Amino acid sequence: MTVRLRAHHLLCMLTYVGRGYSPAFTQNYDGIASRIASGEEILIVHGPDDICSPLLAEKAPHCLRDNVANRDRDAATALQRLLARPIAPGIRLSPDSSLVERMRAAFAKGRTRRACLGCEWSVLCSSVAGRRFADTALLVQESIIR
Ligand code: SF4
């Protein structure tokens, strides 16, 4: 199996602490975080992904908005620079602890956070990063920055 993620969710997965838009959203996200934590491969996709899926039945899901596509673009640009590899639809990533730690270190320093501008969860995500990613669902123990 492969977890399908849009580019900006490569950032969101780093700070996920079980909070979200609805119980169905967080229940689905919990399962995805657990699959990523167990090393399941990530496939980068264009537009709505496995995390968005419970929201797509809404009348006008925000996942389809242009500003969310811009978030993907900004995240892909920043992560491409950080990881020195293409981050685009069709690319596959193995979410091992070294990759997650690199992304978390850069996130905590603000190097990949242009994508977060205007996001309603930004204060929470900054706070999670400030607490060294304690209590996150993804690789809780291995990836805490020391
Ligand atoms: S601030 Fe928003 S876009 Fe950035 S990591 Fe958090 S939830 Fe994702």
Side-chain angles (χ1 to χ4, degrees):
M1 290 277 284
T2 302
V3 179
R4 297 166 59 259
L5 290 187
R6 64 192 305 164
H8 86 268
H9 282 162
L10 292 169
L11 300 177
C12 306
M13 71 178 189
L14 304 174
T15 56
Y16 176 63
V17 286
R19 300 221 358 229
Y21 301 103
S22 68
F25 179 84
T26 53
Q27 187 180 15
N28 178 61
Y29 206 149
D30 288 346
I32 290 167
S34 160
R35 287 165 58 196
I36 295 171
S38 72
E40 198 167 313
E41 193 176 53
I42 294 170
L43 171 67
I44 301 172
V45 297
H46 174 75
D49 63 4
D50 290 344
I51 291 176
C52 300
S53 122
L55 302 175
L56 298 179
E58 293 176 0
K59 202 169 178 184
H62 75 265
C63 322
L64 299 173
R65 289 186 199 147
D66 287 349
N67 67 325
V68 182
N70 291 341
R71 223 180 269 303
D72 288 331
R73 185 201 58 208
D74 289 340
T77 299
L79 290 172
Q80 210 156 257
R81 196 176 306 127
L82 174 73
L83 302 172
R85 57 180 299 178
I87 298 294
I91 294 293
R92 293 173 183 271
L93 294 174
S94 294
D96 57 26
S97 57
S98 137
L99 180 80
V100 172
E101 284 190 16
R102 280 181 76 189
M103 292 202 290
R104 280 185 164 158
F107 187 94
K109 289 176 184 156
R111 290 175 55 200
T112 53
R113 298 216 52 196
R114 183 183 170 91
C116 301
L117 289 173
C119 176
E120 66 186 284
W121 301 100
S122 192
V123 171
L124 172 66
C125 292
S126 297
S127 158
V128 170
R131 286 184 282 109
R132 297 175 175 239
F133 302 93
D135 305 323
T136 50
L138 180 62
L139 299 173
V140 175
Q141 294 306 321
E142 297 113 291
S143 54
I144 290 176
I145 297 170
R146 293 177 176 83

